[in-house]
Amino acid sequence: MKFFVDTADVDAIRDLAELGVVDGVTTNPSLILKAGRDITEVTREICEIVDGPVSAEVVALDAPAMIEEGRKLARIAPNIAIKLPLTWDGLKACKALASEGYMINVTLCFSANQALLAAKAGASFISPFIGRLDDINLDGCELIQDIRTIYDNYGFETEILAASIRSVNHVTEVARIGADVMTAPPDVIRKLASHPLTDKGLDAFLKDWEKTGQKIL
Ligand code: G3P
């Protein structure tokens, strides 16, 4: 499963990239607001750090304007994935921009039928938001499973990009189901390394090592 980082925080991306765990980045208007930076400038900087797909989202609502914004965003760097909302116009823009050879990430997906349409419109990635479904007492991971089954039934090549990941358990679950990609905030990715028994075990090893009086030379 590929790991994308869901942030426009360049320092956090750089830190995770050093570990080699960043296969791509996803941003959205809320994350750009949080970063407090100009979209073109910050997206260009991210594309310089990360070789994989960097999603940048359009804000227009009608297909012709989405297409225009998408082309502008794609000029930032060759690894831009144009992010389009899962609306009828978003799907039209997806079809048009995918036919021009752009990578498209269709976002704000909340149903299997939406995912089916995005695949038929030529999306490179579909982004089902699992945390937001859990927020309203639905099952986000069940949606990932449904999309996996449907895409596999027909051999769709659109990658399932599990988004709105809120916990390490979400990561395990979508990996178990077979999502192609997951995108998570930096703190969730860092938490994947923690286990209380690792900390406890390390503490015991270090205490015993001190008692040996030795040094590794
Ligand atoms: O990848 C989509 C993500 O940014 C949405 O996450 O936590 O705002 O639902 P969240």
Side-chain angles (χ1 to χ4, degrees):
M1 184 168 69
K2 285 178 248 181
F3 276 28
F4 287 3
V5 194
D6 198 29
T7 188
D9 177 338
V10 173
D11 292 335
I13 294 168
R14 206 169 265 126
D15 181 52
L16 291 167
E18 273 174 29
L19 203 71
V21 294
V22 183
D23 300 308
V25 170
T26 49
T27 67
N28 61 39
S30 305
L31 293 171
I32 296 293
L33 173 70
K34 201 168 161 196
R37 297 191 50 193
D38 172 75
I39 183 170
T40 306
E41 186 191 290
V42 74
T43 307
R44 183 170 295 125
E45 210 173 314
I46 294 169
C47 290
E48 278 163 12
I49 304 168
V50 176
D51 293 333
V54 174
S55 291
E57 190 159 343
V58 305
V59 290
L61 294 177
D62 63 281
M66 284 177 176
I67 292 168
E68 205 174 309
E69 284 184 359
R71 288 187 189 128
K72 280 184 192 159
L73 289 170
R75 278 204 285 271
I76 295 173
N79 53 332
I80 288 287
I82 302 165
K83 210 172 178 189
L84 299 165
L86 213 156
T87 59
W88 198 252
D89 276 73
L91 291 169
K92 280 189 194 166
C94 174
K95 179 75 191 157
L97 289 166
S99 313
E100 290 176 26
Y102 294 110
M103 254 190 300
I104 310 295
N105 176 0
V106 176
T107 188
L108 288 166
C109 169
F110 294 96
S111 79
N113 285 334
Q114 287 182 317
L116 188 50
L117 278 174
K120 290 183 80 70
S124 319
F125 301 101
I126 182 69
S127 291
F129 276 28
I130 67 175
R132 292 192 193 185
L133 282 169
D134 290 358
D135 285 346
I136 57 161
N137 296 329
L138 293 173
D139 188 341
C141 287
E142 193 176 291
L143 174 60
I144 300 293
Q145 179 64 74
D146 285 348
I147 300 172
R148 180 75 283 155
T149 304
I150 291 167
Y151 280 9
D152 289 350
N153 281 348
Y154 299 100
F156 284 118
E157 284 176 10
T158 302
E159 293 189 52
I160 302 173
L161 196 173
S164 184
I165 295 256
R166 306 271 178 76
S167 68
V168 293
N169 291 340
H170 272 155
V171 177
T172 314
E173 199 49 40
V174 301
R176 201 198 315 263
I177 294 166
D180 301 287
V181 191
M182 72 91 198
T183 189
D187 62 312
V188 172
I189 296 179
R190 279 193 211 99
K191 274 189 204 150
L192 295 174
S194 329
H195 197 287
L197 291 180
T198 305
D199 297 341
K200 197 176 163 201
L202 183 60
D203 193 51
F205 285 158
L206 291 181
K207 283 196 174 112
D208 286 345
W209 179 248
E210 218 176 291
K211 287 180 206 154
T212 69
Q214 297 183 46
K215 280 201 166 51
I216 296 177
L217 299 170

